[in-house]
Structures are given as C-alpha cells and as structure tokens.
Amino acid sequence: MKIIPTSIPDILILEPQIFQDSRGFFLESYNQKIFAETLGITANFVQDNHSKSEYNVLRGLHYQIIQPQGKLVRVITGTIFDVAVDIRKNSSTFGQWLGYELSAENKRQLWIAPGFAHGFLVLSEIAEVIYKTTDYYAPKGDRAILWNDPDLAIDWPLKTPPILSAKDSNAQTFKNAEVYE
C-alpha cells in the first residue's frame, strides 16, 4: 500500500496495490497488520457504513463530540470531493481543512483520525461511499458544522448550490461548534 502524507499528519491518503487482468481487478482495502506496522494505525474498526448519493449532494461536516470516530473512507461507485476539518482545539492544525478527490477509478482511501469533522460532495451522477469507523454511532454526541462556514472557507468544487439535509442546512458555525479539547 502506498502512503501519501498530507499537510495534516493525522490525515493520510492510501493507495492500495491493484492486481488487474482481463477478468477485472483485486485489491486489499484493509489489512490490520499492514495498517499497524506500516502506517502506525492501530485503530480497532467497529462499524462499517455505506451511503449512496446523487450528484451535488453534500453530506457534512459531521462529527461526534462523544465517542469520536476515526474513519477509513473509500468510494466504490462514482467520485466525491472528501473533506476533513481539524476540530481538536489543542492541535497545531486546528481549524485547517484538507480536501481530496476519491473515486471508484483512483481507488484511493482517506484515513481520518478521530478529532476531525468530515464531509463530502458528490461529483458524479451517483456515488457510493463506504467507510469504517473506530467507534460506534452515538446519536447524543452527533454534531455538524456548516459546510460553507466563512471561517473555514472550504473550496468545494460546486457549480450550483448543493443538495443538503435539514441537519446540514441548520448546522452550527465553526465559531459556535463544540470542539475537542
């Protein structure tokens, strides 16, 4: 697995080794031993999530104030612009964001450590996203930061206003959001 570091050390882009022939392809998306020994990621994944969304749907920026979740994100159909925002108040990268294109074609994965808000924008007709989490969903701790918060100034590749859920439309600004100490 190829590891591509980012400007925020707790976010990694992962490119799996792909074995392709006339029948199709095979790749190993997760191997606990390789993640621990090569990446230093010893997370215990406890839940897998799968979403399907149409073009221009924007989901996020989501996080849990209790039971923070690390996420291993990949796309199995389509293309997304995936974003992580550091909301760890004592971090040197607090308030910084990173965004990367993940697609079924490039087969890249994004490792997002606990302590980040996460969201994505669908760039293709549809996209199916699968992600592993390091903790269970905790409805009482579920939070969202406004996707277009002016202080974060995320450069979403939008051509028209996004399709949002009510939760995401009414999310908190970054200044008013509960963050990790």
Side-chain angles (χ1 to χ4, degrees):
M1 184 163 298
K2 182 179 176 184
I3 304 155
I4 303 169
T6 69
S7 59
I8 299 177
D10 290 324
I11 307 273
L12 297 173
I13 299 168
L14 309 174
E15 286 185 350
Q17 186 174 8
I18 301 166
F19 301 93
Q20 194 160 349
D21 63 23
S22 61
R23 301 169 297 158
F25 73 88
F26 172 84
L27 65 84
E28 190 173 80
S29 62
Y30 176 72
N31 179 306
Q32 186 179 37
K33 184 177 179 180
I34 291 172
F35 270 55
E37 293 175 3
T38 306
L39 307 174
I41 299 171
T42 57
N44 179 33
F45 293 105
V46 299
Q47 183 174 316
D48 281 2
N49 298 321
H50 184 153
S51 72
K52 180 180 178 183
S53 305
E54 354 181 301
Y55 173 74
N56 216 37
V57 165
L58 194 151
R59 295 182 183 265
L61 301 159
H62 301 154
Y63 65 102
Q64 293 185 169
I65 198 66
I66 56 172
Q67 294 177 220
Q69 296 176 315
K71 295 178 180 178
L72 181 60
V73 183
R74 68 189 182 107
V75 174
I76 60 168
T77 303
T79 305
I80 65 169
F81 182 69
D82 203 51
V83 171
V85 179
D86 191 343
I87 58 171
R88 302 168 299 172
K89 195 168 193 158
N90 297 321
S91 169
S92 63
T93 56
F94 177 69
Q96 293 181 28
W97 65 273
L98 293 174
Y100 295 97
E101 191 171 289
L102 303 179
S103 69
E105 187 176 317
N106 70 23
K107 296 177 182 43
R108 285 183 164 183
Q109 299 180 90
L110 197 62
W111 162 247
I112 304 167
F116 289 79
H118 173 251
F120 64 86
L121 172 68
V122 178
L123 303 177
S124 53
E125 186 176 328
I126 62 159
E128 291 191 48
V129 177
I130 294 178
Y131 58 99
K132 296 180 162 313
T133 65
T134 59
D135 212 333
Y136 298 102
Y137 175 63
K140 290 182 181 179
D142 191 27
R143 302 288 187 275
I145 296 172
L146 197 59
W147 68 275
N148 62 349
D149 182 275
D151 292 321
L152 295 176
I154 297 170
D155 189 16
W156 297 99
L158 286 161
K159 295 179 180 158
T160 60
I163 301 166
L164 303 168
S165 69
K167 170 186 168 180
D168 293 340
S169 294
N170 298 309
Q172 291 290 316
T173 62
F174 183 64
K175 283 181 183 174
N176 294 323
E178 290 179 81
V179 296
Y180 302 110
E181 294 298 324

